[in-house]
Amino acid sequence: MDMSWLGWNGSDIGALLSITNPILALAALVSLGLLWFSLRATRRWLTVSVGIFLHAVALLSIASYFQFGHFRFDRYINPHDVYHYYIGAKYSPEVGYTRQYCASAAADMEGRRLLAASEIRDLSNYKYIKVDQINDKLESCKARFSPSRWEEFKRDIEAFQDLVPTWKWQAMLKDKGYNATPAWTSIASRIANLVPIDTPWGRGIIVSIDLFLLALMFAGIGWAFGYRAMLLAVAFFGINYFTSCVHIKGAFMRFDWLVTLVLSVCAARKERFKTAGVLLGLSTASRFFPAVFAFGPLVLLVLGAWKTRKLDKQLVGFAAALVATSVLVVAATALDYRGVEPWQTFLHKMGLHNGDFSSSRVGFKYVFVHFLIGDVG
């Protein structure tokens, strides 16, 4: 979704950026001045000045999140990420977890041939293969589509090619593929099949889903922890490195797990533990790793039962809701796909994926590797 609706052109954006740093410097000085003043002022002025400070930082963080209007490839949409998750979800019956790049290369070779002299990653083993040497593989991927779906697929691939320069398109097919759970795919595929990616309004809807979910998350923080906590959360989110343009900003429903996870904490704060369990179950079904956030409540449940010989009803409700939601989501997905094969394929892909290093991941393994052998690529 470009910024033409704002009436901005390239020179306008350049002019805005030329004053960005002075504005930030001035805002920092004003914020420090307010903080100094608040420390010397009465309690009333302290409250007012801190409120002004938090609002100013939150607003600047929102502007920073939207890069002050200066988007990569001149659009808010992140074509690299949306390609993987829109195409991966919409055409999941045809491409699964291992054929997305192969099918994309086949569509490219029938169209603009931007990959003719390039390499792509073979997602079944993570090795690189030359496009002009795998004609049989390309035909095999194409054969999984019906004629009408194939024509639609080619139009979608050309839509993504229009969003990025040639070098970027070639690089996109050397990444690590589509890695969402079948539960996420079940929902996202329905949205992707309804919303076209080759129209500005369609791309606008696709990237607006996360913005709506984030607004819901911040509202939940305000409800559970208060208005100031919400402003601090907005400020942290807006300047967090992992919301930079090279990650999942401007993407397709990639913050759903985060929103449900945070809302689970908010529900627990309000002592609505069953709701918290349901939300954490949804987050876990979407991305798996949020399950670690159940560790604390479950430890409290076990320790409490050991010490008092009684079960905490609220924590039991939380655990029951979490387990029930997870089981129901897996069962619903199995019914949707008429079997558990997608889950088996997903787990196999994740095993392959986890065995490969990436410079854009975080976790204990990467911390240890960094200190032992330095940066990983």
Side-chain angles (χ1 to χ4, degrees):
M1 184 170 63
D2 60 33
M3 297 300 292
S4 59
W5 60 277
L6 285 177
W8 288 1
N9 55 37
S11 60
D12 293 330
I13 294 174
L16 177 63
L17 288 174
S18 68
I19 62 172
T20 294
N21 289 337
I23 286 177
L24 289 176
L26 179 61
L29 289 174
V30 171
S31 299
L32 288 174
L34 285 171
L35 183 60
W36 174 84
F37 177 75
S38 67
L39 293 175
R40 298 175 58 86
T42 63
R43 183 178 297 273
R44 178 175 176 275
W45 280 106
L46 175 63
T47 301
V48 171
S49 55
V50 169
I52 293 173
F53 172 75
L54 288 174
H55 280 84
V57 172
L59 288 173
L60 283 172
S61 297
I62 292 172
S64 174
Y65 180 77
F66 290 103
Q67 298 171 240
F68 300 94
H70 182 65
F71 299 122
R72 200 180 191 197
F73 307 124
D74 296 323
R75 295 174 176 86
Y76 173 66
I77 188 173
N78 183 338
H80 186 116
D81 202 81
V82 174
Y83 158 74
H84 283 88
Y85 283 83
Y86 180 90
I87 295 293
K90 182 175 181 178
Y91 298 99
S92 56
E94 292 90 354
V95 303
Y97 287 99
T98 60
R99 295 180 295 272
Q100 182 172 342
Y101 293 169
C102 175
S104 298
D108 174 84
M109 293 297 281
E110 288 190 10
R112 298 174 183 177
R113 298 181 62 84
L114 301 179
L115 298 170
S118 182
E119 291 182 329
I120 62 173
R121 189 186 293 271
D122 184 343
L123 293 173
S124 65
N125 56 28
Y126 274 28
K127 295 180 180 179
Y128 292 109
I129 50 178
K130 290 186 177 296
V131 173
D132 58 3
Q133 296 177 3
I134 55 168
N135 289 333
D136 291 344
K137 194 175 183 69
L138 299 183
E139 287 298 320
S140 175
C141 289
K142 176 183 173 181
R144 301 183 67 88
F145 292 78
S146 68
S148 60
R149 285 282 279 180
W150 180 245
E151 292 302 316
E152 185 177 1
F153 181 78
K154 289 198 296 183
R155 288 196 300 272
D156 287 345
I157 293 302
E158 289 190 354
F160 282 105
Q161 290 175 334
D162 289 337
L163 295 175
V164 294
T166 300
W167 67 265
K168 180 60 179 175
W169 168 244
Q170 294 169 342
M172 284 161 61
L173 274 65
K174 295 178 182 178
D175 206 324
K176 309 295 174 61
Y178 176 71
N179 300 309
T181 65
W184 188 93
T185 303
S186 183
I187 297 173
S189 63
R190 287 170 167 78
I191 298 173
N193 277 289
L194 287 173
V195 181
I197 201 65
D198 58 351
T199 64
W201 68 266
R203 292 191 293 272
I205 291 175
I206 289 297
V207 299
S208 295
I209 294 173
D210 267 347
L211 297 178
F212 171 79
L213 290 175
L214 289 172
L216 186 64
M217 180 184 76
F218 292 125
I221 294 172
W223 165 69
F225 295 94
Y227 185 62
R228 290 189 178 184
M230 181 192 73
L231 292 177
L232 286 171
V234 170
F236 173 78
F237 187 84
I239 60 175
N240 193 320
Y241 172 73
F242 294 103
T243 58
S244 64
C245 62
V246 297
H247 289 89
I248 57 175
K249 177 166 57 184
F252 173 35
M253 208 168 72
R254 291 276 264 141
F255 285 122
D256 64 306
W257 68 268
L258 175 66
V259 173
T260 48
L261 174 60
V262 172
L263 290 178
S264 174
V265 175
C266 294
R269 167 75 172 179
K270 289 293 188 177
E271 298 186 353
R272 301 187 179 186
F273 289 95
K274 292 179 182 177
T275 302
V278 170
L279 289 167
L280 183 56
L282 293 174
S283 183
T284 300
S286 177
R287 282 288 154 183
F288 266 26
F289 68 84
V292 300
F293 288 89
F295 179 75
L298 295 179
V299 168
L300 289 176
L301 176 60
V302 173
L303 289 179
W306 180 68
K307 289 181 178 179
T308 65
R309 300 296 188 268
K310 293 181 181 179
L311 291 174
D312 186 307
K313 291 184 179 179
Q314 291 182 321
L315 291 177
V316 168
F318 168 83
L322 170 60
V323 172
T325 301
S326 302
V327 170
L328 286 173
V329 168
V330 172
T333 306
L335 287 173
D336 195 20
Y337 290 103
R338 297 174 183 172
V340 296
E341 189 272 336
W343 284 103
Q344 294 171 336
T345 307
F346 168 75
L347 292 174
H348 174 75
K349 176 66 161 59
M350 286 301 96
L352 182 66
H353 191 67
N354 191 52
D356 186 77
F357 285 106
S358 172
S359 60
S360 60
R361 295 185 209 158
V362 295
F364 289 117
K365 179 173 72 173
Y366 285 87
V367 172
F368 293 142
V369 168
H370 174 75
F371 282 109
L372 288 175
I373 63 175
D375 292 336
V376 296

